Amino acid sequence: MSTPASRTPASRHHRRPRGEGQWALGYREPLNKNEENKKNDDGLNVRQRIIDIYAKRGFDSIDPADLRGRFRWYGLYTQRRPGIDGGKTAVLEPEELDDRYFMLRVRIDGGQLNLAQLRTIADISNEYARGTADLTDRQNIQLHWVEIESVPDIWERLEAVGLSTTEACGDTPRVIMGCPLAGIDADEVIDASDQIRDIHDRVIGNPAYSNLPRKFKTALSGCPAHCTVHEINDVAFVGVVNERGEAGFDLWVGGGLSTNPMLAKRLGVFVTPDKVADVHEGVVGIFRDYGYRRLRHRARLKFLVNDWGTEKFRQVLETEYLKEPLPDGPAPEQPRGSRRDHVGVFQQKDGNYYVGFAPKVGRVDGDKLRVIADIAERHGSDRVRTTVEQKMVILDIAPDKVDSVVAELEANDLQVNPSTFRRQTMACTGIEYCKLAIVETKTTAMDLIDELERRLPDFDQPLTINVNGCPNSCARIQVADIGLKGQLVVDENGDQVEGFQIHLGGSLGVNSGFGRKVRGLKTTAKALPDYVTRVVSNYDSQKKEGESFADWVQRADEADLK
């Protein structure tokens, strides 16, 4: 029997390849529901509907396409309805998971806040968000329990002090991360504050860049500690000095984690300070025009960079977007130190000091934020900063006031000299508020810190423990020493309970790499302190002189990792 011509191998070979929704190649028709919603109406347009309609008529008046789509363009997500367990996360429809309250994300570009801004967030937290406030690992502050009726007033108060929620979420350029010590660190390669402002003013709220394939993350820093984790951002500018002694930036593209983690790649170019905004706009433009829009799970810049390679990416950037070549440039120096969080007391280049401190896993509240502002003001400072490790820093403390600042912070459980476990444990929002989460994270992580401090009081080696409520890696589990990915597991009684898959030995910096997954290595949430105590104790007893946890994991026997 003959084979139909339409099914011969030759005809399959010559079939036109399916498009990935790349605009620059002519694929303009929406290929999924998200793309259709964005084509129907730009996410930036939802602001006026919130002010004119939804805030006045209430939650039930909200168009579903706005509620679960365009609201994100202004930092709004519906939070998880209380009482829905993690087993239902992937089963229920969005409207079954939605609560009638919102998470509201305040973008803090460069982590830069003055006291008026910090107090405004504190007051909004107390008046509209039941006192909630979480520091994120991208320098934002998130509030919860926000009602749609309150949003216009919140915006008015934020914008009166120069803050915004514009494009804090959505398929947009998200917050621009920067070193909290920009302009004051005596050892910084370059102060990137002006470039952060230039990028913000050029792309944020600009309709030309408000419909990207998915979210787009930017980091920009001259920090010698590389505190903005440039290796896992869509685009990053890292301070360098070229062979002529000029300070500028090395350009990295295509980093990102989640279920398909990839490290960013150097393009090998030297970007002068005056060209940074142009280059950033070019990279965003490439993502907008060539990014994959057919499948959401491939709609990140990292997939395009991985497919194109750095040589083609640089060529397209220079020829199609910048219209000029970029000079070759040097790679960054190795990061200073083994911790990137700026916790502790250190001298600024002007002779004053900054004081970095550690709330537990970024969880604060409105009252705590006001306390921080009051402490800073009493000691002559008007500048505080958020970090990418869920920490905060007070700048500009005179030498004779440092001890007093430290004492007041410590008295309010804001530790300046924390244990390794308090200092280097992070947690995402988790099932308490997040509709994607499977397990609880914040309380689990805080309890873990307490247990480890009690059990291992003398352990002082660098050790990151990152706790995530789902596979999406908001808490960067793949690049943690101990990364914990939330999932349901079976306990010793055969019951399904909250637990974690364990990644070990991830790292950024000198030897960047993703954590090792040992077959079957999982733990229940209840048994988590026992597991971490065991593996950390094994490391402590077996490590060689100067050996990091990540290096030990690579050579350790599997039995010592379980």
Side-chain angles (χ1 to χ4, degrees), residues 165-183:
T165 70
T166 302
E167 295 181 335
C169 311
D171 296 353
T172 66
R174 302 282 184 93
V175 68
I176 305 160
M177 297 204 305
C179 176
L181 310 183

Side-chain angles (χ1 to χ4, degrees), residues 131-142:
T132 57
D134 284 334
L135 307 173
T136 77
D137 60 6
R138 294 193 62 81
Q139 298 183 288
N140 299 304
I141 294 179
Q142 292 183 175

Side-chain angles (χ1 to χ4, degrees), residues 4 6 21 77 102 108 119 147 165 202-204 234 263 299 306 312 327 331 341 409 415 426 458 488 492 542:
S6 63
Y77 280 92
F102 294 88
I108 304 172
R119 287 190 171 113
E147 296 177 298
T165 70
R202 190 176 293 194
V203 303
I204 304 306
D234 292 285
L263 294 175
N306 189 59
K312 179 177 179 179
D341 54 17
L409 288 169
Q415 296 184 12
M426 294 199 307
D458 299 323
L488 298 180
E492 67 275 10
Q542 296 177 17

Side-chain angles (χ1 to χ4, degrees), residues 149-183:
E149 291 86 349
S150 307
V151 171
D153 187 50
I154 291 173
W155 282 342
E156 184 175 342
R157 294 169 71 165
L158 288 172
E159 290 161 10
V161 293
L163 291 173
S164 170
T165 70
T166 302
E167 295 181 335
C169 311
D171 296 353
T172 66
R174 302 282 184 93
V175 68
I176 305 160
M177 297 204 305
C179 176
L181 310 183

